[in-house]
Amino acid sequence: MNNQLFINGQFVPAKSGNTIDVLNPANGELITKIAAAEAEDIDLAVEAAKNAFPAWSEMPAAERGHLLLKLADLIEENLEELAQLESLDTGHPIRDSRRLDVPRTAACFRYFGGIADKIEGSVIPVEQGFLNYVVREPIGVVGQIVPWNFPLMFTSWKLGPALAAGNTVVLKPSEITPLSTLKIAELIKKAGFPDGVVNVVPGYGQTAGQSLAEHPEVGKIAFTGSTRTGQGIINASSSNLKRVQLELGGKGANIVFEDANIDAAVNGAAWAIFHNQGQACIAGSRLVLHENIADAFLEKFIKLAASIRLGDPMDPNTEMGPLTSEAHRNKVLSYTQIAKEQGGKVLLGGEVPADPALQNGFYVMPTIVEAQPFDRVAQEEVFGPFVTVLRFKDDAEALEIANCTEYGLGSGLWTQNIHRAHSFARKIKAGMCWINSYKRVNPGSPFGGMGKSGYGREMGFEAIHDYTEAKSIWVNVDAKIPPHFQRGE
Ligand code: NDP
């Protein structure tokens, strides 16, 4: 297990010699200590990325793509080890790490490996006599800050487009969950990426993250995390006006209309909130039910949620593991009291499970609370297995509820009415809308939000645009330009 910084193709200790404890969220025990990057390590990593940039950006794009494809193959070859590391470090149930996190990580690198030599520019129809063409150029050294909820997958979402487009990278994983990303660093070396193209520097946000966001040699910072830290990143980035891409919080409305297939919607709504213990920015954390079907829906939904198997993430039968840190578990639990203080009704959970085998881990029971649209539990991101139920009487009210938070990331609709489905999808203030489904992601499909959910898009060609600068080049082919300054002779 790698526990050092990956700088310029080498695993090295932090200059300060400081380390951070990495804990197993299933029992609170120490897994390992990792090197803690600080400002001087970030300087070294940025220097390495800067030195690697000219050769990497000028390398034939197909060769860059080939390295990304090789990395995807290596990830598949190391599926079991990566899945185990991810589950050990984050608490993801191993069945999900095996069938979702690792395959999706490989798929993302493969997609961007394929795109690398297909990043085309354009020719603009301008006035006669001129050729105007636009090329897309890499930005340079890119800083990337990855959170603890999907460390492996988010590493690929960030590295894939940045590298395909010819940038070099300094990536900071969360200090809570760095292990799978350090394994990716090892595979990057094995695949044959030139030294310095990718540098991985786990460390605290306030020190390592802040230094990266402020660094004058970093041309772009891509961040996934909370809205408040995202706002801090914008401030830190202002010194050199670096580009900023933010993927922040969400409060996804998952709306079930009267005509929905109820059994499919019950199952989909449970996945929308309880997958990864609800620690997902796109989670369907507001379940918005038509009043005529709400009671029947809730009866089935509560029954299903109560039957979800909580347990050791390493057990293939486990469907929900612990939350990723103790501090976060406590934050999630505090929302039960917040809901009650505002008149909310707890329909299920709201506490730690009674099972004595789970007492040392950071577990929370699946929690269902009924509340009103402007209550705190219906407005703030809880980021746990905690869903807020809201009722509506007609389509107008459903839309009003869907759009009444500051966020705009994921959303879902369950209906058999094709007109209503498409019309709602257009009117919902969200970067993504799933119809009769929830939480689908694909490396080709843009992912990102609006409002306080941030800006910029990960994945798809949109991501390539976010990791390149458009340069417009004008050529005078045979234009006769009258002199701009007429003189007498
Ligand atoms: P943060 O936004 O504080 O952390 C996310 C990442 O940013 C971590 O890698 C963190 O490092 C880093 N970071 C923290 N402070 C700075 C800084 N000043 N400069 C640069 N990087 C920094 O979120 P939290 O982990 O505190 O979680 C709080 C809430 O944020 C959650 O409850 C959830 O609502 C939301 N969140 C949303 C995510 C999403 O997917 N959109 C992901 C994670 C959280 P470090 O680990 O050291 O703090």
Side-chain angles (χ1 to χ4, degrees):
M1 189 183 295
N2 277 308
N3 57 5
Q4 295 194 307
L5 314 178
F6 183 66
I7 298 179
N8 205 22
Q10 307 300 322
F11 284 96
V12 293
K15 283 284 167 201
S16 66
N18 289 341
T19 59
I20 301 171
D21 290 352
V22 179
L23 303 184
N24 178 346
N27 54 25
E29 288 171 8
L30 182 73
I31 304 172
T32 185
K33 288 175 182 289
I34 51 145
E38 291 174 13
E40 53 185 335
D41 307 292
I42 299 297
D43 285 345
L44 289 174
V46 171
E47 181 74 16
K50 191 178 162 196
N51 292 339
F53 177 71
W56 178 249
S57 56
E58 286 163 20
M59 177 188 278
E63 281 179 35
R64 284 203 302 269
H66 181 70
L67 286 167
L68 286 163
L69 296 174
K70 207 160 159 195
L71 178 60
D73 291 345
L74 286 171
I75 288 167
E76 280 169 351
E77 282 168 29
N78 288 269
L79 184 145
E80 188 54 30
E81 186 183 345
L82 280 163
Q84 294 216 13
L85 274 177
E86 193 73 337
S87 290
L88 182 71
D89 205 4
T90 63
H92 290 197
I94 189 78
R95 70 170 194 143
D96 291 341
S97 299
R98 284 185 183 133
R99 73 190 173 122
L100 299 175
D101 299 80
V102 183
R104 283 178 174 174
T105 301
C108 180
F109 281 120
R110 191 160 285 129
Y111 175 84
F112 285 105
I115 250 182
D117 60 354
K118 296 164 195 73
I119 303 172
E120 296 176 351
S122 53
V123 177
I124 313 296
V126 293
E127 55 270 35
Q128 195 66 24
F130 283 94
L131 167 66
N132 175 229
Y133 63 97
V134 178
V135 290
R136 304 214 67 97
E137 296 183 340
I139 295 165
V141 178
V142 166
Q144 303 185 322
I145 299 177
V146 174
W148 42 264
N149 52 336
F150 291 98
L152 185 59
M153 225 168 63
F154 286 171
T155 291
S156 68
W157 289 17
K158 294 226 173 336
L159 285 181
L163 296 174
N167 302 282
T168 55
V169 178
V170 177
L171 184 147
K172 188 197 93 61
S174 166
E175 85 285 353
I176 302 172
T177 57
L179 301 181
S180 57
T181 307
L182 288 168
K183 178 70 191 174
I184 293 289
E186 186 189 311
L187 298 179
I188 281 172
K189 189 162 176 68
K190 195 165 175 192
F193 282 77
D195 291 348
V197 168
V198 177
N199 304 273
V200 178
V201 283
Y204 290 111
Q206 302 290 345
T207 48
Q210 185 76 16
S211 304
L212 193 54
E214 283 173 351
H215 206 290
E217 302 283 2
V218 171
K220 165 177 172 164
I221 196 96
F223 170 80
T224 300
S226 65
T227 298
R228 185 186 295 180
T229 304
Q231 288 164 327
I233 299 274
I234 295 175
N235 293 336
S237 71
S238 68
S239 58
N240 66 334
L241 294 183
K242 59 174 67 66
R243 275 171 165 242
V244 178
Q245 179 176 354
L246 300 173
E247 203 274 271
L248 308 175
K251 195 71 189 173
N254 194 12
I255 309 171
V256 185
F257 292 90
E258 199 177 0
D259 64 347
N261 173 337
I262 296 297
D263 287 336
V266 165
N267 217 285
W271 178 250
I273 184 64
F274 299 125
H275 166 229
N276 198 29
Q277 298 73 254
Q279 301 168 123
C281 46
I282 53 173
S285 53
R286 289 183 300 153
L287 182 54
V288 189
L289 304 176
H290 191 280
E291 60 185 13
N292 291 350
I293 50 104
D295 289 334
F297 184 99
L298 283 173
E299 198 182 321
K300 292 183 175 194
F301 185 66
I302 293 169
K303 197 167 161 212
L304 177 62
S307 74
I308 291 176
R309 290 190 295 271
L310 266 71
D312 179 355
M314 294 303 176
D315 179 343
N317 292 318
T318 293
E319 294 171 329
M320 249 179 67
L323 274 68
T324 299
S325 72
E326 186 172 14
H328 185 60
R329 190 266 302 268
N330 295 342
K331 175 190 152 184
V332 170
L333 284 173
S334 75
Y335 273 96
T336 305
Q337 188 55 29
I338 290 170
K340 286 181 184 162
E341 281 165 9
Q342 293 193 297
K345 214 160 90 192
V346 179
L347 306 179
L348 182 74
E351 52 199 14
V352 299
D355 183 349
L358 305 182
Q359 295 314 301
N360 292 333
F362 312 140
Y363 291 86
V364 175
M365 283 175 67
T367 300
I368 305 171
V369 167
E370 182 151 2
Q372 298 302 315
F374 288 96
D375 288 353
R376 284 184 61 189
V377 288
Q379 291 288 323
E380 297 173 17
E381 186 177 50
V382 180
F383 218 62
F386 187 114
V387 64
T388 302
V389 176
L390 305 165
R391 298 185 191 224
F392 68 93
K393 60 178 181 316
D394 57 26
D395 286 14
E397 192 183 16
L399 188 64
E400 222 172 279
I401 291 173
N403 289 344
C404 80
T405 76
E406 293 179 313
Y407 295 113
L409 193 61
S411 62
L413 306 171
W414 299 83
T415 177
Q416 315 264 13
N417 180 331
I418 191 170
H419 304 292
R420 173 191 278 149
H422 287 285
S423 145
F424 254 80
R426 295 299 296 270
K427 289 179 190 156
I428 276 189
K429 190 187 79 177
M432 289 147 297
C433 181
W434 295 279
I435 297 169
N436 294 328
S437 170
Y438 203 96
K439 252 188 166 191
R440 305 298 309 178
V441 290
N442 183 288
S445 184
F447 184 104
M450 47 185 77
K452 286 201 172 169
S453 294
Y455 45 75
R457 291 293 178 268
E458 303 198 279
M459 304 206 280
F461 252 98
E462 297 281 343
I464 294 292
H465 281 183
D466 275 356
Y467 279 99
T468 50
E469 301 278 11
K471 179 180 282 175
S472 173
I473 298 174
W474 288 78
V475 184
N476 181 346
V477 178
D478 56 5
K480 302 276 177 289
I481 309 175
H484 295 293
F485 302 98
Q486 298 278 1
R487 295 291 180 268
E489 63 279 5

